[in-house]
Amino acid sequence: MTILEKAPAKINLSLNVLSKRDDDYHDVEMIMTSIDLADRIELERLQDDRIEISLESRYVPNDERNLAYKAAKAFKTKYGITEGVHITIDKNIPVSAGLGGGSSDAAAVLRGLNKLWSKDIPLNELAELGSSIGADVAYCVYGKTAIARGFGEKIEKLSSPPPCWIILAKPDIGVSSRTIFSQINIEELFHPDTAAILEALEDKNFSKLCNHIGNSLEPITFAMHPEVQHIKEAMTHAGAAGVLMSGSGPTVYGLVEQQSKATRIYNGMRGFCEEVYLVRLIG
């Protein structure tokens, strides 16, 4: 028996860091939505009690450091599964990009193993298990559009954004979330207007959404990697209605209503960096 799961990337419409916690995590408020750039996960049963991962990426480990491996191990431990699983990951989402690729892979493994081993576990329980693996995994279990609070484990579903095109541009660098979060000084942070973004989603108001998207981490990543700021400036200059860095970076996205304009900006951004994508929302 083989189970196939899609693992969609996400973008942050907002990322608001509220405070530092005693456990070294930060309390955050993040509005995220899924996009139709996705990894593909294939799960096959093994008789032996082991976890195998196959993938063709020199940037992603295929052992216990992989979040998909951690997800399978956590699932097997919690539900007492003594069979093994072979996980094949077809990577399409850029690595260390602020698009939640590893977290989405882990979430897809949790959903897929639920089917593979016929456990019928509700999504909220899978999300709770996911939050022990990584901060974005709980959100990725649900996908679509949601706000995540706490360190990312408290999820509330939201109205989807108005239909639009998204241009993604990722410079040829990887950014470590841990490094960026370690540089945070709460007193100096910019805080996006979460309430205004929620209203824009509820009203399906594209221009209001574009005017209020925001990310507390942008200045920190920009200071460490000026090329990310240059990409944001180039995409804004090219005419994208709303432009923001996703997650801790380095990917920058632009929101555009018209396909012809989105295609023009996409073609223009390819002069700035190699990894540029034109995608739609699925959230």
Side-chain angles (χ1 to χ4, degrees), residues 30-278:
M30 302 184 291
I31 299 174
M32 295 177 277
T33 192
S34 303
I35 58 177
D36 68 356
L37 174 67
D39 292 345
R40 187 171 171 273
I41 309 295
E42 191 174 298
L43 304 169
E44 293 178 88
R45 277 179 157 155
L46 297 174
Q47 294 307 311
D48 301 344
D49 188 0
R50 68 184 193 278
I51 300 164
E52 294 177 350
I53 293 192
S54 300
L55 79 165
E56 291 180 16
S57 172
R58 57 198 169 105
Y59 303 110
V60 182
N62 64 351
D63 53 23
E64 60 275 359
R65 294 170 294 167
N66 190 300
L67 290 183
Y69 185 105
K70 290 180 180 180
K73 187 174 181 182
F75 192 99
K76 278 168 54 60
T77 300
K78 182 168 178 68
Y79 299 110
I81 306 293
T82 54
E83 283 186 341
V85 62
H86 184 94
I87 303 167
T88 304
I89 304 174
D90 181 12
K91 288 296 291 179
N92 295 302
I93 303 170
V95 177
S96 300
L99 299 174
S103 297
S104 194
D105 292 349
V109 166
L110 294 177
R111 291 193 307 267
L113 292 181
N114 197 23
K115 297 171 187 170
L116 187 72
W117 288 320
S118 305
K119 299 304 288 182
D120 206 24
I121 296 149
L123 281 185
N124 63 327
E125 194 174 316
L126 291 179
E128 191 178 329
L129 182 59
S131 67
S132 69
I133 299 160
D136 287 339
V137 179
Y139 159 75
C140 290
V141 166
Y142 294 104
K144 299 191 177 177
T145 307
I147 185 166
R149 297 185 174 94
F151 66 81
E153 85 282 13
K154 297 171 185 168
I155 310 297
E156 180 189 335
K157 293 180 184 178
L158 299 174
S159 301
S160 60
C164 61
W165 293 85
I166 300 103
I167 302 104
L168 304 169
K170 179 194 174 288
D172 191 20
I173 56 171
V175 170
S176 160
S177 297
R178 187 169 295 171
T179 302
I180 300 301
F181 272 91
S182 72
Q183 303 296 310
I184 286 174
N185 181 341
I186 293 291
E187 282 68 42
E188 296 176 358
L189 281 187
F190 155 76
H191 297 286
D193 187 346
T194 302
I197 299 168
L198 292 173
E199 283 176 18
L201 291 174
E202 196 64 40
D203 298 341
K204 294 281 190 282
N205 187 324
F206 180 74
S207 59
K208 184 174 184 177
L209 178 66
C210 292
N211 289 336
H212 287 96
I213 56 176
N215 186 337
S216 295
L217 302 179
E218 269 192 346
I220 301 170
T221 303
F222 288 176
M224 295 178 74
H225 303 283
E227 59 267 54
V228 182
Q229 184 171 5
H230 296 157
I231 288 173
K232 180 172 181 177
E233 289 166 355
M235 202 179 289
T236 303
H237 184 70
V243 183
L244 193 69
M245 182 184 83
S246 186
S248 54
T251 303
V252 172
Y253 70 84
L255 304 177
V256 181
E257 280 189 293
Q258 304 88 4
Q259 184 178 3
S260 56
K261 187 175 187 179
T263 302
R264 181 173 54 75
I265 296 171
Y266 163 77
N267 289 330
M269 291 308 300
R270 291 170 74 187
F272 281 85
C273 52
E274 284 184 21
E275 287 194 84
V276 185
Y277 303 84
L278 181 58

